[in-house]
Amino acid sequence: MTRRLRLSYLTLVVLVLLSLEIPLGIVYGGAERQRVVRAAEDEAEALAAYARLSLRSDQTAALARRVIHCAERIDGEVFVLDRDGRVRAASRPMSDREAREMLGRRHVRAAMGGRAATDVRTGGYGRVEVLAAAAPVTAGASRSGAVHLTLPTEVVSQRVHRVWLTLAVAGLLVLTAFAGLGLAVARWTGRPIMELEAVTARLARGDLSVRATLATTTGPPEVRRLAGTFNDTAARLEHVMRSQRAFAGEASHQLKTPLAALRLRLDNLEPGIAPGSRANLTAAMTETERLARMVETLLAMARLEEHATAREPVDLDRCARERAATWGPLFASRGCRLTLGGERVGHALAVPGAVEQILDNLLSNALRVSGPGTEVRLETRQVRASRRASREARSTWAELHVIDEGPGLPPEQRARAFDRFWRAPGAAAGGSGLGLALVQRLAVAGGGRATLEEAPHGGLDAVVRLPAVPPRPSAPPPRPVDGPRAPWKPRRMADAARARLRPRPGSGRLHRVAPPAAPGLTDDFPGHPTPTRAPGGAGPAPRT
């Protein structure tokens, strides 16, 4: 900002100087040339009056001395002509050809006709080369001849150039002075604004205790008032966030404990309940579990909103394999099939732990709407922008897709699916309407977004897009110090390939043995190796 203010000040000063100095130089140069022309005309008229008296009294010698003296004084040439056009006195010898050329000039003919005239011949912009003046020599009503003088005008040009140089030097001095003054004003104005920018960035990163100190005492009054308003806003925001943090911490205990006690009491009532009332007890226990999940999701969203968590690279391929291995047995127990496919996408930027929560919520929703015999696909894809796109749109994105074969949603309901507590009409029981809202919050916190699209074969395609991290270039293999260069072989890959080869029973040939797949999980794409099932058996309870 300081540089922009300084450039604006200097630009304004340069425009003012140019608008003042250029007209001043032009006016002064024109006035100086006019002064020299008038001086030459006065000199020619004075010499013409002396020549009239000298020619009348036939004092040619005195006229010749006066002509030479005048030529030396003006550092030019002077010629006196009679009425027949003959040279009567000259400051230097002149040939007949030069005399005829002089008589053919316009101002000399005008002077021989009785009118004074001047001739200024210029070469180049603002540069006078030769100034010639002629005055008639008259005796009453009759003419007696003419006086013609020429003088160099280098002095005039030098004076004009000196004026331009003086104006340029003065302009540079004024420009330098205003540059220093503009720098001081720009620093005085820009320092509090730069401090406000720094403290605003710290506030955006989650430092709620930051305050502006310099901006409240220095700078323009508007900036000081802005700094005071910022400090008040930061103080109120800190108070609100502390209250929300206290509420989130206390609610975690105050809400979970009664729900756990209620669930325990319902479990204790089960042996003494009549067979006809067991349905009501089961419904009460289901609603208690649903309320517990809703409270947990609300607390997770509150913690996400109050903490500005920094993003970090997350291996999406590993997360997809782990969640697929965890949820595969649960899908198999419901008669569904969970497949993992797509392409390797590498790492993407996300909030720590967000990708696992996103996949858990999406897979839970997909399991809730999937019937027996259907398939749910978990895919990872990479979206690369074209070269013609702008620099901002040239980023590479990594996408997570959870595609189900359920009833799907119309476009107007897909637009509202990420609202809190919103549930589709006729949705299955057990949901709270907060799962997709949490997915959207986690995706936005990682710099991406979540959308719902129509699947190619019916159902929904839940897409979560996150900014991809470009892979680092791998280092080349080391070269041997001595001897010829040996071909490089990936030892680990070769060992892994040999470990998968087993002798076929009854023959001496080798065949490849595929690793065992987890129950309920299939792998249709070679980009993802089939994950193994973690010890422990069944997967987690579905989350909304």
Side-chain angles (χ1 to χ4, degrees), residues 477 487-498:
W488 178 75
K489 296 181 179 180
R491 183 178 300 275
R492 294 182 179 178
M493 296 178 60
D495 294 343
R498 285 194 296 270

Side-chain angles (χ1 to χ4, degrees), residues 7 35 207 225 249 340 388 483 491 506:
L7 288 177
R35 188 185 65 81
D207 187 3
R225 290 195 296 268
L340 176 64
R388 296 182 179 180
R491 183 178 300 275

Side-chain angles (χ1 to χ4, degrees), residues 49-71:
Y50 184 82
R52 182 176 65 250
L53 298 175
S54 299
L55 292 176
R56 182 182 299 176
S57 59
D58 200 14
Q59 296 180 0
T60 308
L63 179 61
R65 290 193 299 270
R66 181 62 181 267
V67 167
I68 294 174
H69 175 71
C70 181

Side-chain angles (χ1 to χ4, degrees), residues 247-257 295 299 303:
F247 167 77
E250 294 173 359
S252 177
H253 174 75
Q254 297 295 333
L255 293 178
K256 285 186 176 180
T257 302
V295 170
L299 293 177
R303 287 191 294 268

Side-chain angles (χ1 to χ4, degrees), residues 339-343 377-379 523-529:
T339 59
L340 176 64
E343 58 180 331
R377 301 170 61 86
L378 173 59
E379 298 183 1
D523 186 6
D524 293 346
F525 293 84
H528 289 277

Side-chain angles (χ1 to χ4, degrees), residues 195-196 212 214-216 222-232:
E195 185 199 19
L196 280 176
L214 179 64
T216 57
E222 296 81 1
V223 178
R224 293 199 295 268
R225 290 195 296 268
L226 177 61
T229 305
F230 172 82
N231 290 338
D232 294 341

